[in-house]
Amino acid sequence: MASREDLAIIRAARAGQSEAQLALGRRYLFGGNGLPQSFATALHWLDRAARQGVPDAWTLIGEHIPYEVVAQAPKPLDYVLWYERAFEAGRKLAGLSFARLVLAHQAQPEAQAMLGKAVKALESEANAGTAEAQWLLSQQQGGRKPADVAAATGEQHAAEQVTATQWAQKAADAGVGQAQLALADAAWLRQDRGDFIRRSLPLARSLLAQYGADLPQLNAPSEGLARHLGEGNIALLSRLAQVLAEINEVNADEAQSLLELAAYADDKSAQLSLGLFFARMNENGGRSFPGFGSANYKKAIRWLTLAGERGLAAAWYALSRIYLKPEFSQRNLADAQHYLERAAEMGHALGQLECGSSAWRNRREDPANDVRAVYWLQKAAVQDNADARELLAKIADRPAAAAWAVEARGHMTRDFLSAYPFLAARLELAILFGLTRPEALLIDLKQADCGHCLVVDIRDYYARSKRRLILIETGDERQVLNRIGRLFEDVDCSLNGPEGNYRQRLYRLKTALPQDDDEREEESDLAEES
């Protein structure tokens, strides 16, 4: 409760007396005499006194009011003048707060005018060994606006980046967590795993010492743990989890705890890594973590399922490998295939390759398996999987123009093509996909078009032919097939349809060609049909 003296000072301060405002601000700043300590209230009264020209008021603001208090004010830049004056009067702490205020609001015109002085204040504090100033200076020099970077020469920009890194290194060595995280992040982005491990492992161990005791009480991912760790630390742990198998100085217990810390913070990549750790395998299904003991497939399945449900195809692929393992007591080929297909459907290249290879191996069980094989192998090949491309080349043909169709099309007049649109369409198919003459004349496009490939199978009508698959690889090919498909949409393409039997179709083609064109092949074709 305020004393009579305090009440008198409050009345005088409210009446506008600067000395009373200074005294009241001082009392709220340090507390005591019946008034609680309140930086926000102290800032209010000291600011009013400073605006009346009381030097001690801005000195107290610069020395004792933390930046975090001013940052929460409606207009933080209203107080930047007092920090500037306190810094000019030799108060070093005021210089750091002054610089932070200016840099935090440098997009505003009033702050831009003070930017140069703010940077000098930071440099002064950084050279004096203030770790926070070193980190802020690193951010300022390393994160300039694109326009400023464009105006600088390549050598200037490179030199500034080196200086920024040096300041960040000094701040990190002094224990600034954000600087340590930033350097670890930079090492990860430039794919320097050795430097990343060197920087991230001490940070991860520090987090483990702080939060590891809570892990045994957790049964599921915890939002509370995620909030305490923060996004930056979770990202660090998640990345470290991906390279943990490469760190020799980490034993099995510590590795498990580090992985669990990020996994329980609900990071899906860490959940995948933890599942792989329990399975003692890598993402490709091979063995990993040698010397870390035997696998625990029950725990592995739990974490891999969580990661898979969060959208990681690699988790489903790993599960498919687990259910294939002979040493797994619940080995199940049906479950293995189910998880494999889930991984493939989500775009996992190895899963797609395995689905395609499996379908091809089992093509005798189902004639359509070769079509399924091509479907999955095409998807894997798009992801630059060499094995998929090699197997695909053995299974299916690539489109190539048929010379006979190109020549035949050249002999046909526009009137003839208009009179026989079905024949014209079949010739276009032959030119585009390299069909033989019997294939072009007898193919039923409605049955042949599987979306990703053409199934050319006319053995019921032409015994010498073989079933073959032709890839559909481009958008132009797809458009041509769609257009021709609409032409044949309501047409019976069998030998009982309007085009007639093979002899009639071949005769119609022959009428447009020179009399001696391929007569021997024609006679052979007709004899075969008979």
Side-chain angles (χ1 to χ4, degrees):
M1 183 176 179
S3 64
R4 290 183 179 182
E5 182 183 0
D6 292 331
L7 292 175
I9 293 175
I10 292 173
R11 284 194 294 269
R14 288 176 176 174
Q17 296 180 23
S18 60
E19 291 301 325
Q21 292 168 344
L22 173 64
L24 186 58
R26 192 191 303 272
R27 293 197 177 195
Y28 275 114
L29 185 61
F30 301 109
N33 290 332
L35 294 178
Q37 185 182 43
S38 172
F39 288 123
T41 308
L43 177 63
H44 170 76
W45 290 113
L46 291 173
D47 174 62
R48 291 185 64 175
R51 292 182 185 280
Q52 295 195 62
V54 180
D56 287 346
W58 68 65
T59 300
L60 287 172
I61 290 174
E63 275 195 313
H64 299 290
I65 300 296
Y67 163 79
E68 289 74 16
V69 174
V70 182
Q72 294 177 2
K75 295 181 179 180
L77 287 181
D78 287 350
Y79 307 100
V80 72
L81 176 63
W82 313 135
Y83 287 96
E84 181 182 13
R85 289 184 179 179
F87 172 64
E88 291 174 346
R91 303 302 191 271
K92 293 185 177 181
L93 290 178
L96 183 58
S97 296
F98 164 68
R100 292 184 68 181
L101 278 171
V102 173
L103 295 177
H105 302 87
Q106 57 183 300
Q108 299 183 28
E110 55 267 37
Q112 290 179 1
M114 296 179 282
L115 190 58
K117 184 180 289 186
V119 172
K120 289 182 179 179
L122 271 185
E123 290 175 344
S124 174
E125 286 298 299
N127 287 318
T130 304
E132 188 177 4
Q134 293 167 344
W135 170 233
L136 290 172
L137 189 59
S138 165
Q139 289 180 297
Q140 175 64 19
Q141 293 181 340
R144 294 194 305 155
K145 294 181 180 179
D148 296 334
V149 174
T153 65
E155 292 182 359
Q156 289 174 332
H157 179 57
E160 288 172 356
Q161 292 299 314
V162 170
T163 304
T165 302
Q166 290 173 346
W167 284 120
Q169 181 64 63
K170 289 182 178 181
D173 293 341
V176 178
Q178 288 181 311
Q180 294 169 336
L181 279 175
L183 291 175
D185 182 65
W188 178 267
L189 293 178
R190 67 173 182 268
Q191 298 182 348
D192 187 344
R193 293 201 170 194
D195 190 37
F196 171 77
I197 292 171
R198 180 175 63 85
R199 296 183 181 281
S200 63
L201 188 56
L203 291 174
R205 283 172 168 165
S206 175
L207 293 171
L208 187 59
Q210 187 175 358
Y211 300 104
D214 298 330
L215 294 179
Q217 284 75 43
L218 297 176
N219 295 317
S222 167
E223 293 183 2
L225 178 60
R227 285 195 301 271
H228 288 309
L229 284 172
E231 293 183 4
N233 287 327
I234 293 174
L236 176 91
L237 290 168
S238 178
R239 290 169 172 174
L240 184 62
Q242 298 176 45
V243 298
L244 205 55
E246 304 173 18
I247 307 176
N248 297 325
E249 59 188 282
V250 176
N251 58 39
D253 291 338
E254 185 181 30
Q256 179 177 329
S257 297
L258 287 170
L259 290 169
E260 286 179 337
L261 187 58
Y264 277 116
D266 207 19
D267 181 82
K268 60 184 179 181
S269 296
Q271 291 167 351
L272 168 63
S273 298
L274 182 57
L276 294 172
F277 172 79
F278 280 126
R280 301 296 190 262
M281 59 187 285
N282 56 35
E283 288 192 19
N284 297 336
R287 293 187 178 276
S288 187
F289 300 99
F292 277 47
S294 59
N296 187 326
Y297 293 121
K298 182 178 179 180
K299 290 184 177 180
I301 289 172
R302 175 200 175 195
W303 288 107
L304 290 173
T305 302
L306 279 175
E309 290 172 348
R310 296 283 304 280
L312 293 184
W316 298 125
Y317 182 77
L319 279 170
S320 74
R321 303 301 91 185
I322 288 176
Y323 278 94
L324 282 178
K325 289 184 176 294
E327 66 270 25
F328 181 38
S329 60
Q330 300 178 32
R331 184 174 187 266
N332 188 303
L333 297 182
D335 285 344
Q337 186 63 28
H338 168 71
Y339 291 125
L340 180 66
E341 289 178 358
R342 290 195 69 170
E345 288 166 0
M346 293 175 67
H348 194 275
L350 287 179
Q352 292 165 346
L353 171 63
E354 183 57 35
C355 279
S357 301
S358 176
W360 179 245
R361 288 193 301 269
N362 298 312
R363 62 189 180 278
R364 298 185 186 278
E365 298 177 6
D366 185 348
N369 270 348
D370 58 350
V371 177
R372 281 191 285 271
V374 169
Y375 173 79
W376 289 119
L377 292 173
Q378 276 183 304
K379 289 186 174 297
V382 167
Q383 299 192 60
D384 203 28
N385 187 289
D387 293 334
R389 289 199 304 268
E390 182 179 352
L391 182 55
L392 191 61
K394 297 178 181 178
I395 296 175
D397 298 331
R398 294 188 177 277
W404 73 267
V406 174
E407 182 181 358
R409 182 69 178 264
H411 287 298
M412 294 183 180
T413 64
R414 180 176 300 177
D415 292 339
F416 183 89
L417 294 175
S418 299
Y420 300 103
F422 297 140
L423 179 59
R426 290 181 179 279
L427 283 176
E428 189 173 3
L429 283 177
I431 293 172
L432 187 59
F433 292 100
L435 303 180
T436 65
R437 184 160 61 179
E439 289 173 342
L441 294 176
L442 293 173
I443 188 172
D444 185 343
L445 190 58
K446 289 180 288 187
Q447 297 180 1
D449 187 358
C450 294
H452 60 284
C453 70
L454 278 182
V455 180
V456 182
D457 189 356
I458 59 171
R459 290 175 295 178
D460 291 343
Y461 309 119
Y462 197 83
R464 284 188 299 171
S465 68
K466 295 181 180 180
R467 174 187 172 94
R468 68 188 184 105
L469 308 180
I470 304 176
L471 301 178
I472 300 172
E473 298 183 307
T474 67
D476 290 340
E477 292 167 358
R478 183 70 264 164
Q479 289 181 359
V480 170
L481 284 172
N482 290 342
R483 174 170 51 80
I484 295 177
R486 289 192 294 270
L487 176 65
F488 285 100
E489 188 173 8
D490 298 321
V491 177
D492 182 1
C493 294
S494 71
L495 300 185
N496 298 321
E499 294 181 274
N501 58 31
Y502 179 55
R503 182 185 295 272
Q504 292 169 321
R505 299 179 190 191
L506 186 61
Y507 178 77
R508 193 174 297 117
L509 173 64
K510 178 180 176 301
T511 58
L513 303 178
Q515 292 298 317
D516 61 346
D517 185 76
D518 291 340
E519 289 184 358
R520 292 184 179 179
E521 184 175 353
E522 174 198 347
E523 293 173 358
S524 175
D525 290 345
L526 292 175
E528 180 66 33
E529 182 200 5
S530 303

